[in-house]
Amino acid sequence: MDSLHHPEAKRALRLKLRRKRFELSKQEQRQAARRLCQQLKHLPEIQRARRISLYLPVNGEIDPTPLLSWFRQRNVDVYLPVLRPLSDNSLWFVAYHANTPMVKNRFGIPEPDTRFAAQRRNRLPAWALDTLIVPLVGFDAQANRMGMGGGFYDRSLAFMRRPGPAPALIGVAHAFQQVESLPVEPWDVPLSAVVSDLGVVRAGKKKS
Ligand SMILES: Nc1ncnc2c1ncn2[C@@H]1O[C@H](COP(=O)(O)OP(=O)(O)OP(=O)(O)O)[C@@H](O)[C@H]1O
Ligand SMILES: [Mg+2]
């Protein structure tokens, strides 16, 4: 284990990248979101998906929600991650519409309110989705991902290591969140690609 994997080094890297994200103006955020969504609309994994998840941005995360109206036009079913109650800090995915009742979870992130039966009926495990749009704090040229550090996505996607359904995993980020190298841990689930406001990096591709 080299020094990159040291918990203190990971913490420092997360802090540095999150600060940078936080400093963006509203206008910079809007422009980055627009550029991101242009790239996403051309991605095969996005174009072919009938069931897709995205997230509502917090703390300067790049905003994928301009895609919502495009998905509606195409009759794509859109889901949001929700913390599974009474479980192991993993996520399930609940259908999201303009009128879905929302509630803040323990991290202050709005999510569909699963106290309502309608929301509970419309929830899926990650393996039932075609494509997940996944937030991240850092990524590298091989589409490795560093998240917020809770392990929520890694736990929810652990099934990807076994044979069976394998949704496409598309990380999204501001281009400046790309770093030279990341501490990849055994439990980190590889992404298919990372899309930023400036381009796409694919897993398994060497840096050009
Ligand atoms: N499949 C798993 N089963 C149990 N614990 C896990 C699993 N995956 C990750 N974890 C735990 O989660 C913790 C955080 O993982 P990691 O540092 O990779 O977070 P992250 O990928 O940044 O977070 P997130 O997935 O929420 O964005 C680790 O200490 C690890 O022990
Ligand atoms: Mg991880």
Side-chain angles (χ1 to χ4, degrees):
M1 186 183 277
D2 62 51
S3 59
L4 261 184
H5 290 259
H6 197 276
E8 197 52 40
K10 285 182 78 168
R11 205 186 67 86
L13 181 57
R14 282 195 177 97
L15 197 64
K16 189 177 93 179
L17 292 166
R18 291 185 63 180
R19 280 220 179 105
K20 221 164 155 182
R21 222 169 50 177
F22 217 72
E23 284 166 5
L24 294 174
S25 68
K26 282 221 165 66
Q27 200 195 333
E28 288 168 325
Q29 283 287 6
R30 262 199 306 275
Q31 186 178 59
R34 203 162 47 234
R35 289 181 172 162
L36 170 78
C37 293
Q38 281 314 320
Q39 311 260 4
L40 286 171
K41 285 178 186 174
H42 289 104
L43 216 67
E45 291 94 333
I46 301 289
Q47 289 184 345
R48 67 168 181 251
R50 309 311 305 160
R51 287 172 166 178
I52 198 160
S53 75
L54 46 68
Y55 62 90
L56 304 181
V58 295
N59 299 324
E61 287 170 339
I62 200 161
D63 182 4
T65 61
L67 284 178
L68 283 170
S69 56
W70 188 72
F71 285 142
R72 295 280 172 249
Q73 284 163 20
R74 297 163 67 97
N75 272 325
V76 173
D77 294 327
V78 176
Y79 294 78
L80 286 180
V82 172
L83 293 174
R84 289 177 77 133
L86 315 173
S87 97
D88 53 337
N89 283 331
S90 67
L91 306 167
W92 55 30
F93 293 82
V94 178
Y96 178 56
H97 308 276
N99 52 4
T100 303
M102 304 291 283
V103 65
K104 281 193 176 171
N105 68 22
R106 63 185 145 98
F107 300 109
I109 303 172
E111 51 178 46
D113 191 346
T114 49
R115 288 174 302 183
F116 293 92
Q119 271 59 256
R120 284 201 300 278
R121 269 197 303 279
N122 288 317
R123 72 190 171 195
L124 295 176
W127 57 259
L129 297 166
D130 301 313
T131 298
L132 284 78
I133 295 177
V134 178
L136 56 83
V137 173
F139 69 102
D140 68 13
Q142 282 75 48
N144 291 310
R145 168 180 186 272
M146 172 184 254
M148 299 261 268
F152 290 92
Y153 277 96
D154 286 323
R155 264 185 227 98
S156 314
L157 296 170
F159 68 88
M160 295 282 286
R161 304 197 174 283
R162 301 185 288 272
L169 308 178
I170 307 299
V172 297
H174 298 282
F176 61 72
Q177 290 171 251
Q178 181 167 354
V179 297
E180 194 62 37
S181 86
L182 277 179
V184 180
E185 312 286 1
W187 59 79
D188 282 327
V189 176
L191 301 173
S192 322
V194 177
V195 182
S196 76
D197 44 328
L198 298 184
V200 181
V201 304
R202 286 258 164 209
K205 281 229 173 119
K206 281 265 175 285
K207 210 170 42 175
S208 52

mmCIF file of all heavy atoms in Angstrom, residues 48-78:
data_model
loop_
_atom_site.group_PDB
_atom_site.id
_atom_site.type_symbol
_atom_site.label_atom_id
_atom_site.label_comp_id
_atom_site.label_asym_id
_atom_site.label_seq_id
_atom_site.Cartn_x
_atom_site.Cartn_y
_atom_site.Cartn_z
ATOM 1 N N ARG A 48 -29.290 4.664 -25.159
ATOM 2 C CA ARG A 48 -30.059 3.423 -25.211
ATOM 3 C C ARG A 48 -30.801 3.110 -23.909
ATOM 4 O O ARG A 48 -31.613 2.182 -23.866
ATOM 5 C CB ARG A 48 -29.150 2.253 -25.586
ATOM 6 C CG ARG A 48 -28.110 1.917 -24.541
ATOM 7 C CD ARG A 48 -27.438 0.577 -24.825
ATOM 8 N NE ARG A 48 -26.464 0.270 -23.809
ATOM 9 C CZ ARG A 48 -25.135 0.278 -23.987
ATOM 10 N NH1 ARG A 48 -24.629 0.568 -25.168
ATOM 11 N NH2 ARG A 48 -24.328 -0.003 -22.993
ATOM 12 N N ALA A 49 -30.550 3.867 -22.851
ATOM 13 C CA ALA A 49 -31.139 3.545 -21.548
ATOM 14 C C ALA A 49 -32.635 3.847 -21.522
ATOM 15 O O ALA A 49 -33.074 4.900 -21.980
ATOM 16 C CB ALA A 49 -30.429 4.332 -20.452
ATOM 17 N N ARG A 50 -33.412 2.924 -21.002
ATOM 18 C CA ARG A 50 -34.844 3.151 -20.769
ATOM 19 C C ARG A 50 -35.109 3.470 -19.304
ATOM 20 O O ARG A 50 -36.112 4.086 -18.960
ATOM 21 C CB ARG A 50 -35.670 1.926 -21.190
ATOM 22 C CG ARG A 50 -35.417 1.388 -22.595
ATOM 23 C CD ARG A 50 -35.442 2.463 -23.659
ATOM 24 N NE ARG A 50 -36.671 3.223 -23.635
ATOM 25 C CZ ARG A 50 -36.792 4.438 -24.181
ATOM 26 N NH1 ARG A 50 -35.761 5.021 -24.769
ATOM 27 N NH2 ARG A 50 -37.939 5.060 -24.123
ATOM 28 N N ARG A 51 -34.249 2.967 -18.435
ATOM 29 C CA ARG A 51 -34.322 3.261 -16.992
ATOM 30 C C ARG A 51 -32.972 3.797 -16.579
ATOM 31 O O ARG A 51 -31.956 3.100 -16.698
ATOM 32 C CB ARG A 51 -34.578 1.992 -16.195
ATOM 33 C CG ARG A 51 -35.974 1.456 -16.301
ATOM 34 C CD ARG A 51 -35.970 0.118 -15.612
ATOM 35 N NE ARG A 51 -37.300 -0.365 -15.355
ATOM 36 C CZ ARG A 51 -37.549 -1.540 -14.783
ATOM 37 N NH1 ARG A 51 -36.556 -2.324 -14.406
ATOM 38 N NH2 ARG A 51 -38.790 -1.923 -14.579
ATOM 39 N N ILE A 52 -32.960 5.016 -16.065
ATOM 40 C CA ILE A 52 -31.678 5.664 -15.784
ATOM 41 C C ILE A 52 -31.750 6.375 -14.434
ATOM 42 O O ILE A 52 -32.815 6.844 -14.043
ATOM 43 C CB ILE A 52 -31.356 6.648 -16.927
ATOM 44 C CG1 ILE A 52 -29.887 7.010 -16.945
ATOM 45 C CG2 ILE A 52 -32.202 7.910 -16.858
ATOM 46 C CD1 ILE A 52 -29.454 7.558 -18.289
ATOM 47 N N SER A 53 -30.643 6.420 -13.713
ATOM 48 C CA SER A 53 -30.646 7.224 -12.488
ATOM 49 C C SER A 53 -29.709 8.405 -12.660
ATOM 50 O O SER A 53 -28.713 8.326 -13.382
ATOM 51 C CB SER A 53 -30.209 6.388 -11.278
ATOM 52 O OG SER A 53 -28.816 6.184 -11.306
ATOM 53 N N LEU A 54 -30.079 9.493 -12.008
ATOM 54 C CA LEU A 54 -29.149 10.620 -11.882
ATOM 55 C C LEU A 54 -29.254 11.123 -10.445
ATOM 56 O O LEU A 54 -29.808 10.424 -9.599
ATOM 57 C CB LEU A 54 -29.397 11.699 -12.934
ATOM 58 C CG LEU A 54 -30.813 12.186 -13.229
ATOM 59 C CD1 LEU A 54 -31.376 12.953 -12.072
ATOM 60 C CD2 LEU A 54 -30.806 13.085 -14.470
ATOM 61 N N TYR A 55 -28.661 12.278 -10.150
ATOM 62 C CA TYR A 55 -28.661 12.769 -8.776
ATOM 63 C C TYR A 55 -28.934 14.259 -8.792
ATOM 64 O O TYR A 55 -28.727 14.917 -9.819
ATOM 65 C CB TYR A 55 -27.308 12.456 -8.093
ATOM 66 C CG TYR A 55 -26.161 13.163 -8.798
ATOM 67 C CD1 TYR A 55 -25.761 14.440 -8.419
ATOM 68 C CD2 TYR A 55 -25.524 12.570 -9.900
ATOM 69 C CE1 TYR A 55 -24.760 15.110 -9.095
ATOM 70 C CE2 TYR A 55 -24.524 13.237 -10.572
ATOM 71 C CZ TYR A 55 -24.143 14.507 -10.166
ATOM 72 O OH TYR A 55 -23.169 15.176 -10.852
ATOM 73 N N LEU A 56 -29.409 14.782 -7.667
ATOM 74 C CA LEU A 56 -29.572 16.230 -7.522
ATOM 75 C C LEU A 56 -28.279 16.767 -6.919
ATOM 76 O O LEU A 56 -27.834 16.280 -5.880
ATOM 77 C CB LEU A 56 -30.762 16.540 -6.614
ATOM 78 C CG LEU A 56 -32.103 15.918 -7.045
ATOM 79 C CD1 LEU A 56 -33.207 16.320 -6.070
ATOM 80 C CD2 LEU A 56 -32.461 16.322 -8.470
ATOM 81 N N PRO A 57 -27.635 17.750 -7.563
ATOM 82 C CA PRO A 57 -26.286 18.145 -7.127
ATOM 83 C C PRO A 57 -26.278 18.877 -5.784
ATOM 84 O O PRO A 57 -27.190 19.653 -5.480
ATOM 85 C CB PRO A 57 -25.834 19.085 -8.251
ATOM 86 C CG PRO A 57 -27.089 19.622 -8.834
ATOM 87 C CD PRO A 57 -28.109 18.531 -8.706
ATOM 88 N N VAL A 58 -25.259 18.590 -4.986
ATOM 89 C CA VAL A 58 -24.990 19.329 -3.745
ATOM 90 C C VAL A 58 -23.502 19.680 -3.711
ATOM 91 O O VAL A 58 -22.698 19.035 -4.388
ATOM 92 C CB VAL A 58 -25.355 18.510 -2.473
ATOM 93 C CG1 VAL A 58 -26.846 18.256 -2.392
ATOM 94 C CG2 VAL A 58 -24.593 17.183 -2.421
ATOM 95 N N ASN A 59 -23.164 20.691 -2.933
ATOM 96 C CA ASN A 59 -21.751 21.037 -2.697
ATOM 97 C C ASN A 59 -20.941 21.248 -3.971
ATOM 98 O O ASN A 59 -19.789 20.826 -4.057
ATOM 99 C CB ASN A 59 -21.056 19.937 -1.880
ATOM 100 C CG ASN A 59 -21.705 19.756 -0.533
ATOM 101 O OD1 ASN A 59 -22.142 20.732 0.074
ATOM 102 N ND2 ASN A 59 -21.793 18.521 -0.069
ATOM 103 N N GLY A 60 -21.542 21.897 -4.971
ATOM 104 C CA GLY A 60 -20.776 22.227 -6.175
ATOM 105 C C GLY A 60 -20.628 21.090 -7.162
ATOM 106 O O GLY A 60 -19.912 21.216 -8.157
ATOM 107 N N GLU A 61 -21.293 19.952 -6.915
ATOM 108 C CA GLU A 61 -21.259 18.859 -7.895
ATOM 109 C C GLU A 61 -21.811 19.364 -9.227
ATOM 110 O O GLU A 61 -22.734 20.173 -9.262
ATOM 111 C CB GLU A 61 -22.125 17.676 -7.421
ATOM 112 C CG GLU A 61 -21.512 16.886 -6.290
ATOM 113 C CD GLU A 61 -22.475 15.875 -5.685
ATOM 114 O OE1 GLU A 61 -23.705 16.018 -5.833
ATOM 115 O OE2 GLU A 61 -21.985 14.942 -5.033
ATOM 116 N N ILE A 62 -21.261 18.835 -10.319
ATOM 117 C CA ILE A 62 -21.779 19.221 -11.629
ATOM 118 C C ILE A 62 -23.238 18.749 -11.739
ATOM 119 O O ILE A 62 -23.598 17.704 -11.194
ATOM 120 C CB ILE A 62 -20.884 18.685 -12.771
ATOM 121 C CG1 ILE A 62 -21.138 19.468 -14.057
ATOM 122 C CG2 ILE A 62 -21.053 17.179 -12.950
ATOM 123 C CD1 ILE A 62 -20.022 19.350 -15.081
ATOM 124 N N ASP A 63 -24.053 19.551 -12.434
ATOM 125 C CA ASP A 63 -25.503 19.368 -12.407
ATOM 126 C C ASP A 63 -25.999 18.601 -13.639
ATOM 127 O O ASP A 63 -25.970 19.139 -14.741
ATOM 128 C CB ASP A 63 -26.156 20.765 -12.338
ATOM 129 C CG ASP A 63 -27.671 20.679 -12.264
ATOM 130 O OD1 ASP A 63 -28.219 19.565 -12.195
ATOM 131 O OD2 ASP A 63 -28.307 21.761 -12.285
ATOM 132 N N PRO A 64 -26.451 17.354 -13.458
ATOM 133 C CA PRO A 64 -26.954 16.605 -14.612
ATOM 134 C C PRO A 64 -28.443 16.848 -14.892
ATOM 135 O O PRO A 64 -28.985 16.283 -15.844
ATOM 136 C CB PRO A 64 -26.725 15.142 -14.193
ATOM 137 C CG PRO A 64 -26.899 15.161 -12.708
ATOM 138 C CD PRO A 64 -26.480 16.544 -12.229
ATOM 139 N N THR A 65 -29.115 17.677 -14.090
ATOM 140 C CA THR A 65 -30.579 17.769 -14.203
ATOM 141 C C THR A 65 -31.098 18.479 -15.460
ATOM 142 O O THR A 65 -32.279 18.315 -15.767
ATOM 143 C CB THR A 65 -31.222 18.409 -12.941
ATOM 144 O OG1 THR A 65 -30.718 19.736 -12.794
ATOM 145 C CG2 THR A 65 -30.918 17.593 -11.706
ATOM 146 N N PRO A 66 -30.260 19.259 -16.201
ATOM 147 C CA PRO A 66 -30.793 19.759 -17.476
ATOM 148 C C PRO A 66 -31.221 18.622 -18.417
ATOM 149 O O PRO A 66 -31.944 18.860 -19.371
ATOM 150 C CB PRO A 66 -29.617 20.560 -18.063
ATOM 151 C CG PRO A 66 -28.820 20.983 -16.884
ATOM 152 C CD PRO A 66 -28.950 19.856 -15.889
ATOM 153 N N LEU A 67 -30.774 17.390 -18.135
ATOM 154 C CA LEU A 67 -31.176 16.248 -18.965
ATOM 155 C C LEU A 67 -32.613 15.806 -18.706
ATOM 156 O O LEU A 67 -33.183 15.057 -19.506
ATOM 157 C CB LEU A 67 -30.271 15.039 -18.689
ATOM 158 C CG LEU A 67 -28.877 15.049 -19.292
ATOM 159 C CD1 LEU A 67 -28.146 13.782 -18.861
ATOM 160 C CD2 LEU A 67 -28.949 15.121 -20.818
ATOM 161 N N LEU A 68 -33.200 16.255 -17.594
ATOM 162 C CA LEU A 68 -34.508 15.711 -17.207
ATOM 163 C C LEU A 68 -35.549 15.880 -18.307
ATOM 164 O O LEU A 68 -36.279 14.942 -18.634
ATOM 165 C CB LEU A 68 -34.996 16.360 -15.908
ATOM 166 C CG LEU A 68 -34.320 15.846 -14.622
ATOM 167 C CD1 LEU A 68 -34.695 16.725 -13.432
ATOM 168 C CD2 LEU A 68 -34.689 14.390 -14.361
ATOM 169 N N SER A 69 -35.613 17.093 -18.884
ATOM 170 C CA SER A 69 -36.662 17.326 -19.889
ATOM 171 C C SER A 69 -36.400 16.491 -21.139
ATOM 172 O O SER A 69 -37.338 16.008 -21.780
ATOM 173 C CB SER A 69 -36.754 18.815 -20.235
ATOM 174 O OG SER A 69 -35.502 19.271 -20.659
ATOM 175 N N TRP A 70 -35.151 16.287 -21.472
ATOM 176 C CA TRP A 70 -34.778 15.450 -22.627
ATOM 177 C C TRP A 70 -35.197 14.003 -22.382
ATOM 178 O O TRP A 70 -35.748 13.333 -23.249
ATOM 179 C CB TRP A 70 -33.274 15.576 -22.837
ATOM 180 C CG TRP A 70 -32.721 14.948 -24.072
ATOM 181 C CD1 TRP A 70 -32.883 15.394 -25.355
ATOM 182 C CD2 TRP A 70 -31.893 13.775 -24.139
ATOM 183 N NE1 TRP A 70 -32.198 14.569 -26.223
ATOM 184 C CE2 TRP A 70 -31.577 13.574 -25.504
ATOM 185 C CE3 TRP A 70 -31.377 12.900 -23.191
ATOM 186 C CZ2 TRP A 70 -30.773 12.513 -25.934
ATOM 187 C CZ3 TRP A 70 -30.576 11.851 -23.615
ATOM 188 C CH2 TRP A 70 -30.284 11.669 -24.989
ATOM 189 N N PHE A 71 -34.962 13.523 -21.164
ATOM 190 C CA PHE A 71 -35.388 12.161 -20.826
ATOM 191 C C PHE A 71 -36.911 12.031 -20.912
ATOM 192 O O PHE A 71 -37.431 11.038 -21.408
ATOM 193 C CB PHE A 71 -34.916 11.767 -19.421
ATOM 194 C CG PHE A 71 -33.439 11.457 -19.330
ATOM 195 C CD1 PHE A 71 -32.704 11.847 -18.217
ATOM 196 C CD2 PHE A 71 -32.795 10.758 -20.343
ATOM 197 C CE1 PHE A 71 -31.346 11.558 -18.122
ATOM 198 C CE2 PHE A 71 -31.435 10.462 -20.255
ATOM 199 C CZ PHE A 71 -30.713 10.872 -19.144
ATOM 200 N N ARG A 72 -37.627 13.039 -20.417
ATOM 201 C CA ARG A 72 -39.092 13.002 -20.470
ATOM 202 C C ARG A 72 -39.578 12.870 -21.910
ATOM 203 O O ARG A 72 -40.449 12.062 -22.201
ATOM 204 C CB ARG A 72 -39.711 14.277 -19.884
ATOM 205 C CG ARG A 72 -39.472 14.487 -18.435
ATOM 206 C CD ARG A 72 -40.402 13.681 -17.526
ATOM 207 N NE ARG A 72 -39.932 13.823 -16.168
ATOM 208 C CZ ARG A 72 -39.384 12.857 -15.447
ATOM 209 N NH1 ARG A 72 -39.275 11.629 -15.922
ATOM 210 N NH2 ARG A 72 -38.958 13.079 -14.233
ATOM 211 N N GLN A 73 -39.013 13.704 -22.784
ATOM 212 C CA GLN A 73 -39.409 13.658 -24.194
ATOM 213 C C GLN A 73 -39.215 12.261 -24.769
ATOM 214 O O GLN A 73 -39.969 11.826 -25.631
ATOM 215 C CB GLN A 73 -38.559 14.611 -25.026
ATOM 216 C CG GLN A 73 -38.915 16.074 -24.891
ATOM 217 C CD GLN A 73 -37.779 16.961 -25.421
ATOM 218 O OE1 GLN A 73 -36.940 16.499 -26.202
ATOM 219 N NE2 GLN A 73 -37.750 18.201 -24.987
ATOM 220 N N ARG A 74 -38.175 11.587 -24.316
ATOM 221 C CA ARG A 74 -37.860 10.256 -24.855
ATOM 222 C C ARG A 74 -38.520 9.127 -24.068
ATOM 223 O O ARG A 74 -38.211 7.963 -24.315
ATOM 224 C CB ARG A 74 -36.337 10.074 -24.866
ATOM 225 C CG ARG A 74 -35.633 11.062 -25.785
ATOM 226 C CD ARG A 74 -34.151 11.139 -25.480
ATOM 227 N NE ARG A 74 -33.414 9.923 -25.788
ATOM 228 C CZ ARG A 74 -32.728 9.696 -26.903
ATOM 229 N NH1 ARG A 74 -32.677 10.624 -27.845
ATOM 230 N NH2 ARG A 74 -32.090 8.570 -27.084
ATOM 231 N N ASN A 75 -39.401 9.503 -23.114
ATOM 232 C CA ASN A 75 -40.083 8.488 -22.298
ATOM 233 C C ASN A 75 -39.141 7.593 -21.511
ATOM 234 O O ASN A 75 -39.413 6.399 -21.316
ATOM 235 C CB ASN A 75 -40.985 7.606 -23.156
ATOM 236 C CG ASN A 75 -42.356 8.226 -23.282
ATOM 237 O OD1 ASN A 75 -42.838 8.838 -22.339
ATOM 238 N ND2 ASN A 75 -42.951 8.092 -24.463
ATOM 239 N N VAL A 76 -38.032 8.142 -21.079
ATOM 240 C CA VAL A 76 -37.085 7.397 -20.247
ATOM 241 C C VAL A 76 -37.556 7.496 -18.792
ATOM 242 O O VAL A 76 -37.991 8.561 -18.349
ATOM 243 C CB VAL A 76 -35.669 8.000 -20.392
ATOM 244 C CG1 VAL A 76 -34.690 7.356 -19.423
ATOM 245 C CG2 VAL A 76 -35.188 7.857 -21.829
ATOM 246 N N ASP A 77 -37.508 6.384 -18.059
ATOM 247 C CA ASP A 77 -37.855 6.417 -16.632
ATOM 248 C C ASP A 77 -36.646 6.873 -15.834
ATOM 249 O O ASP A 77 -35.573 6.269 -15.931
ATOM 250 C CB ASP A 77 -38.303 5.034 -16.153
ATOM 251 C CG ASP A 77 -39.612 4.610 -16.800
ATOM 252 O OD1 ASP A 77 -40.448 5.500 -17.072
ATOM 253 O OD2 ASP A 77 -39.786 3.405 -17.046
ATOM 254 N N VAL A 78 -36.836 7.937 -15.041
ATOM 255 C CA VAL A 78 -35.728 8.541 -14.292
ATOM 256 C C VAL A 78 -35.857 8.202 -12.801
ATOM 257 O O VAL A 78 -36.938 8.283 -12.224
ATOM 258 C CB VAL A 78 -35.715 10.074 -14.481
ATOM 259 C CG1 VAL A 78 -34.619 10.714 -13.629
ATOM 260 C CG2 VAL A 78 -35.523 10.425 -15.954
#
